[in-house]
Amino acid sequence: MYTLGIETSCDETACAVLKGGDQVLANVISSSLIHHRPFGGVVPEIASRHCLEAIDVVYERTLRKARLKPKQIDLIAVTQGPGLIGSVFVGVSFAKALSFALDIPLIGVNHIEAHLEANFIGQKKPRTFIGLIASGGHTTLLRYEKDRYRLLGETVDDAIGEAYDKVAKILNLGYPGGPVIDRLAQSGNPKSFSFTKPKQDGEFDFSFSGIKTAVLNLVERNPLTPTLSPFRGRGKGEGEFVQDLCASFQMHVMNWIVQKTFLACEEQKVRCIVVGGGVSANSKLRSLLSEEAELRGIQWFLPPLELTTDNAAMIARLGYAQFKQGRRSDFTMAANPSLKIGGEINGRH
Ligand code: KG4
Ligand code: ZN
């Protein structure tokens, strides 16, 4: 069975073909990232226009790579949400048109759920796990059991990836901030600066806006920072300051989310963790989580690096799994920018 995945939730336009549930035949991504850089974040209008312009080419290239004719596709899986409305709309419209023209079944899936599903291409999906979503738009802890998700907690303000992007902006390191901060942190001293953990009402909630302000204060107070805008850490002292700040910031936020994830395991009596989202590429998150899991004898899943960012292979995988369970969508399916995980399921416990 061949599943075509279509993903256009944000600044990427992606298509993939999955054979069965485990073999990725093609995984093509076109990113509009370069056009957002001057603005320090994703501009929704630019993102959706790029999706519209790129979708035909990406689709055709994907089929060519997979050596398939359109009629050979058995199922079309598409991101229904959450995401930027204009971008999601492009993918959903394209998928519906294709499904109609080729008379192929269609299934709309949740982008966030798909980030976790990326771990199960070629792997057996565990029956119960704690899911951690860490991306530019989400920081969420979930419990998965018997094909249902339950929300345990989430960020009350910025997402963790957003915090990386904002800290990078303060340090004038460009966009996106995650990869560059991750790299600089490796040469810095993580004990140079300490940050406080804000209190949240929910035991498994997060907040990242305070630490961003703390970083801004440290930068403004640093005598090596003449003005913020040209600050790049060029001089030796400046370079060390930036590296130490990146290392301390990274250690603080990653320790925090890893600790909360293991606390969720303890409280929920679950012995498996699954991580997904763009921030799951982070080297500190990957090492802290895997080392701690080994120590505690807890099973863990981290996606392969190429499947951490937005891609359509994860969409195809989730669509395939749900189709096997008897789910499918019809042409009334609409792009939903605030689609909840598990659709209507979302009780907080
Ligand atoms: O999941 P994603 O591709 O897009 C969303 O759906 O949000 O995540 C993008 C986010 C960006 O904020 C980026 O800075 C962050 O993931 N990111 C990282 C790393 N690589 C990407 N954050 C920390 N460390 C990384 N190595
Ligand atoms: Zn994403």
Side-chain angles (χ1 to χ4, degrees):
M1 175 171 174
Y2 296 111
T3 306
L4 171 75
I6 300 174
E7 151 64 29
T8 60
S9 68
C10 190
D11 55 334
E12 269 95 22
T13 306
C15 289
V17 174
L18 198 65
K19 184 177 179 188
D22 290 327
Q23 202 186 341
V24 181
L25 297 187
N27 187 25
V28 178
I29 304 174
S30 166
S31 177
S32 57
L33 186 73
I34 190 170
H35 304 297
H36 304 285
R37 279 215 170 106
F39 304 96
V42 173
V43 182
E45 289 79 5
I46 296 178
S48 56
R49 197 179 318 135
H50 175 84
C51 292
L52 193 58
E53 286 167 0
I55 186 81
D56 283 322
V57 181
V58 171
Y59 163 68
E60 277 164 19
R61 194 172 299 163
T62 305
L63 285 202
R64 256 202 317 279
K65 272 200 157 183
R67 296 175 184 276
L68 285 184
K69 296 266 174 288
K71 264 286 172 199
Q72 289 175 274
I73 303 166
D74 298 293
L75 171 68
I76 300 169
V78 63
T79 300
Q80 188 185 355
L84 302 172
I85 180 65
S87 298
V88 184
F89 188 72
V90 171
V92 167
S93 307
F94 187 84
K96 280 198 215 174
L98 205 59
S99 161
F100 180 76
L102 299 171
D103 197 18
I104 296 169
L106 171 73
I107 184 159
V109 302
N110 184 299
H111 175 88
I112 301 301
E113 220 174 303
H115 266 303
L116 294 177
E117 199 75 21
N119 286 282
F120 309 132
I121 298 176
Q123 305 279 343
K124 191 170 172 336
K125 185 171 179 172
R127 290 161 66 90
T128 310
F129 60 81
I130 297 294
L132 169 67
I133 310 282
S135 76
H138 294 83
T139 314
T140 309
L141 271 171
L142 303 152
R143 179 195 168 106
Y144 171 88
E145 190 167 12
K146 295 192 185 128
D147 296 322
R148 289 176 81 84
Y149 281 99
R150 210 173 76 198
L151 180 69
L152 299 176
E154 61 192 335
T155 181
V156 297
D157 40 52
D158 295 345
I160 185 165
E162 206 178 341
Y164 266 86
D165 296 336
K166 287 181 177 171
V167 165
K169 199 169 183 177
I170 293 168
L171 295 170
N172 205 16
L173 297 172
Y175 174 83
V180 59
I181 290 182
D182 193 4
R183 185 169 46 77
L184 289 171
Q186 283 163 35
S187 344
N189 176 2
K191 294 195 178 129
S192 305
F193 303 99
S194 57
F195 301 100
T196 51
K197 285 181 191 151
K199 288 241 176 299
Q200 277 78 53
D201 291 343
E203 192 179 9
F204 298 116
D205 284 343
F206 301 94
S207 163
F208 295 102
S209 68
I211 187 163
K212 169 201 67 193
T213 312
V215 169
L216 180 63
N217 288 338
L218 282 167
V219 171
E220 279 179 340
R221 264 191 266 125
N222 189 298
L224 294 168
T225 313
T227 60
L228 274 182
S229 56
F231 185 81
R232 252 221 126 97
R234 281 193 201 92
K236 187 170 182 303
E238 287 179 5
E240 273 169 21
F241 171 71
V242 172
Q243 286 160 5
D244 288 348
L245 197 50
C246 288
S248 304
F249 163 77
Q250 174 148 298
M251 187 56 111
H252 178 81
V253 294
M254 289 311 175
N255 253 331
W256 197 32
I257 66 168
V258 167
Q259 273 170 18
K260 283 218 180 195
T261 307
F262 283 101
L263 185 67
C265 280
E266 259 170 45
E267 286 218 347
Q268 297 285 317
K269 304 199 174 10
V270 173
R271 302 201 57 77
C272 179
I273 295 171
V274 180
V275 189
V279 182
S280 63
N282 186 269
S283 62
K284 186 49 80 183
L285 174 61
R286 294 177 86 90
S287 62
L288 281 177
L289 193 122
S290 54
E291 283 161 20
E292 186 69 23
E294 295 279 339
L295 221 63
R296 293 176 185 233
I298 287 180
Q299 192 187 11
W300 50 271
F301 288 81
L302 283 158
L305 283 179
E306 69 275 13
L307 295 183
T308 53
T309 44
D310 291 348
N311 65 85
M314 66 184 195
I315 304 299
R317 178 64 169 81
L318 182 59
Y320 168 83
Q322 294 188 338
F323 184 78
K324 287 271 164 195
Q325 290 165 0
R327 259 205 59 201
R328 55 219 65 198
S329 306
D330 59 29
F331 295 133
T332 62
M333 189 239 307
N336 183 349
S338 42
L339 187 70
K340 295 275 177 275
I341 200 159
E344 75 292 352
I345 302 165
N346 231 352
R348 176 186 278 262
H349 293 267

